[in-house]
Amino acid sequence: MTETVFAPATAPGRAAVAVVRMSGPATRAALQALGARLPAPRRAALRTLRAADGALIDKGLVLWLPGPTSYTGEDSAELHLHGGTAVVGALTQALLAAGLRLAEPGEFTRRAFENGKLDLDQAEAVADLVDAETEAQARQALGQLGGALGQRYDRWRAQLIEALAQLEAAVDFPDEEVPADVAARARDPLDRLLAELDEALADEARGRRVREGYRIAIIGAPNAGKSSLFNALLGRDAAIVTPIPGATRDVIEAPLVLAGYKVLLADMAGLREAHDPVEAEGVRRARAWAEDADLRLWLVDASAGDGAWRLAADLFRPGDIALLNKADLPAGADAAAVLSRAPEARRISVTADGVADLTAELSTRVVADLSGTDFPAVTRARHRAHLETAREHLLRARANLEEPELAAEDVRLAARALARVAGRIGAEDVLDLVFASFCIGK
Ligand SMILES: Nc1nc2c(ncn2[C@@H]2O[C@H](COP(=O)(O)OP(=O)(O)O)[C@@H](O)[C@H]2O)c(=O)[nH]1
Ligand SMILES: [Mg+2]
């Protein structure tokens, strides 16, 4: 028998209103135990709620949401009470006494998933929407919740079934009658699908970066002005600025919103031959972060002439932004050397003129890199893993078209991998992992 669970849906603490939700077969009985006459379905009604001994808990709005048309698919209710801790505490005691239990994190959404109200990718979108801090994150989560991601997978699965039909026809023919080209007819749909999966995988970073943040690394030699640039872009003193080279040792990450997108900006150790083990580890981490970043800002002290710029040059890639800093000082020999390596490098003075132009350029860049025409097929590592599995099976199927039985099996396995994204074939441990990241009451 399914347990009936409850949880505050609003954050704890002092507030005007607290919402407590419950879900499960005993919901109706629990409302009655609180002394609340059952309101008409999906209509708010004012009710007085009492503990079993008759003590007043609060007077508030009650919503009766009978299954299967509720969020979880089960009989559910919402109580809108005054937001004090004491009120929520008293209600909690009364519901525990009535035999209900506190919900686990994500349990309401998990029940919605198990009752077929949501696919797994949509359940993930619920968590993303609750966590969303920027407009772009919210937009992507809403699209995924609306089924935009799932629709791409459904379309792919339909193409797979087309290919599978060809292969099964070839298997079903008795040996001597196999028309030579039946299996070959699966080649086109498989090729089309492989091309689409490759495209989706190449585009993988987009959806994840919207969700997790677009990563921008500030790289350069010690004393180039990296920490100054970091602080200027953030508009606050987040990192220590000093004329002493080698001051920054850890990677310092800070979130930033540009054009509605979440960005993670990182300041890091200056790239040079380290003088001690702590700095050496800092340099190693800096390099790793920078290589994994979506964009690098390569900062050079243009007033210098010691050739230190070379130490970061190997991390600079086409599309990155090279900046000759300290343009307010007389140029040193390094400026010309860097221009021969990166002719597009431009002069900037972080401390004298500020970074307004650079901020605008970065915003344009983030929008260009993250806004695409299609809804992303990958917003989490989990999606990518299934896509890759599907792709491997399809490559094998295409190589085995001469043996339609083998090929058909791989096509079936590819379809299963794609179905896992929606959780239509699910392993319990995956579900635990997905729902554990939720907050309680969702
Ligand atoms: N004149 C001038 N000095 C700068 C500029 N940007 C940074 N500095 C100075 O260069 C020194 C090193 O800066 P910092 O940001 O700590 O460099 P980091 O080691 O790369 O993080 C500090 O004394 C800064 O004030 C600039 O545009 N012009
Ligand atoms: Mg620094």
Side-chain angles (χ1 to χ4, degrees):
M1 171 90 174
T2 314
E3 289 175 291
T4 301
V5 294
F6 73 98
T10 40
R14 192 167 168 265
V17 176
V19 176
V20 174
R21 2 163 55 174
M22 25 180 156
S23 182
T27 300
R28 177 198 293 259
L31 288 177
Q32 282 158 354
L34 295 169
R37 198 160 38 79
L38 214 62
R42 293 175 295 280
R43 290 281 173 85
L46 192 62
R47 293 287 185 265
T48 302
L49 307 177
R50 293 183 185 279
D53 62 3
L56 180 66
I57 296 173
D58 196 5
K59 206 169 171 183
L61 287 182
V62 174
L63 279 158
W64 161 239
L65 308 161
T69 53
S70 64
Y71 177 70
T72 58
E74 306 171 327
D75 281 354
S76 313
E78 273 183 25
L79 307 176
H80 296 222
L81 308 174
H82 292 99
T85 356
V87 171
V88 176
L91 179 69
T92 300
Q93 290 312 318
L95 289 175
L96 290 172
L100 274 61
R101 115 171 125 67
L102 261 170
E104 312 271 348
E107 188 164 0
F108 290 93
T109 306
R110 183 169 185 154
R111 288 179 178 214
F113 166 70
E114 279 166 358
N115 291 322
K117 307 291 281 191
L118 291 174
D119 283 336
L120 193 54
D121 55 296
Q122 292 174 306
E124 288 170 331
V126 172
D128 290 347
L129 193 54
V130 172
D131 290 338
E133 290 165 338
T134 66
E135 287 165 47
Q137 287 171 317
R139 207 164 45 233
Q140 178 165 297
L142 280 169
Q144 189 168 326
L145 182 58
L149 187 141
Q151 278 156 20
R152 287 192 79 176
Y153 286 81
D154 284 343
R155 211 167 55 228
W156 288 331
R157 289 208 307 150
Q159 280 171 258
L160 274 183
I161 288 163
E162 195 187 316
L164 194 58
Q166 303 292 346
L167 292 170
E168 280 176 345
V171 174
D172 288 345
F173 274 107
D175 269 353
E176 60 283 5
E177 290 173 34
V178 180
D181 64 332
V182 170
R185 276 186 232 147
R187 189 180 299 276
D188 275 353
L190 289 184
D191 280 345
R192 263 202 315 275
L193 189 57
L194 271 166
E196 284 192 41
L197 294 195
D198 282 342
E199 208 175 299
L201 282 167
D203 185 41
E204 185 247 339
R206 191 163 56 91
R208 281 178 73 185
R209 291 317 197 204
V210 168
R211 210 180 136 250
E212 296 166 6
Y214 183 89
R215 298 158 77 87
I216 302 179
I218 303 176
I219 58 169
N223 214 37
K226 298 181 298 302
S227 297
S228 305
L229 176 62
F230 182 71
N231 291 343
L233 287 171
L234 292 174
R236 63 190 169 88
D237 270 344
I240 299 171
V241 171
T242 135
I244 306 163
T248 311
R249 298 185 152 203
D250 260 331
V251 177
I252 308 177
E253 282 180 31
L256 176 70
V257 178
L258 288 179
Y261 287 92
K262 178 174 175 179
V263 171
L264 277 178
L265 188 66
D267 182 25
M268 43 189 67
L271 303 168
R272 65 169 176 180
E273 292 297 333
H275 294 294
D276 63 66
V278 180
E279 190 184 358
E281 177 60 15
V283 169
R284 194 194 63 74
R285 290 183 190 192
R287 289 191 156 271
W289 209 102
E291 283 184 13
D292 189 42
D294 299 294
L295 178 66
R296 280 144 297 272
L297 302 181
W298 179 28
L299 207 55
V300 176
D301 179 347
S303 72
D306 58 4
W309 64 272
R310 291 179 198 285
L311 295 165
D314 65 297
L315 286 170
F316 183 73
R317 295 189 206 151
D320 286 347
I321 297 176
L323 300 164
L324 297 167
N325 190 31
K326 309 195 188 181
D328 52 309
L329 301 176
D334 284 358
V338 170
L339 281 169
S340 67
R341 166 79 171 73
E344 75 280 18
R346 57 164 209 275
R347 295 164 66 75
I348 184 175
S349 173
V350 173
T351 50
D353 306 332
V355 293
D357 290 351
L358 182 60
T359 302
E361 181 181 350
L362 292 179
S363 298
T364 312
R365 206 29 202 280
V366 171
V367 171
D369 283 0
L370 293 188
S371 63
T373 42
D374 261 342
F375 194 84
V378 176
T379 60
R380 299 187 174 224
R382 189 182 76 82
H383 308 158
R384 182 195 172 91
H386 293 316
L387 262 190
E388 280 179 340
T389 308
R391 183 173 173 278
E392 278 160 29
H393 284 299
L394 289 182
L395 284 173
R396 270 230 299 271
R398 205 181 45 172
N400 279 335
L401 285 179
E402 308 306 312
E403 291 178 85
E405 224 154 320
L406 284 183
E409 183 54 18
D410 270 311
V411 171
R412 262 183 237 112
L413 289 171
R416 283 179 76 120
L418 294 179
R420 281 193 165 91
V421 169
R424 299 204 184 113
I425 304 164
E428 280 299 302
D429 49 343
V430 174
L431 297 185
D432 288 343
L433 212 71
V434 168
F435 288 103
S437 65
F438 275 67
C439 51
I440 292 186
K442 196 65 225 181

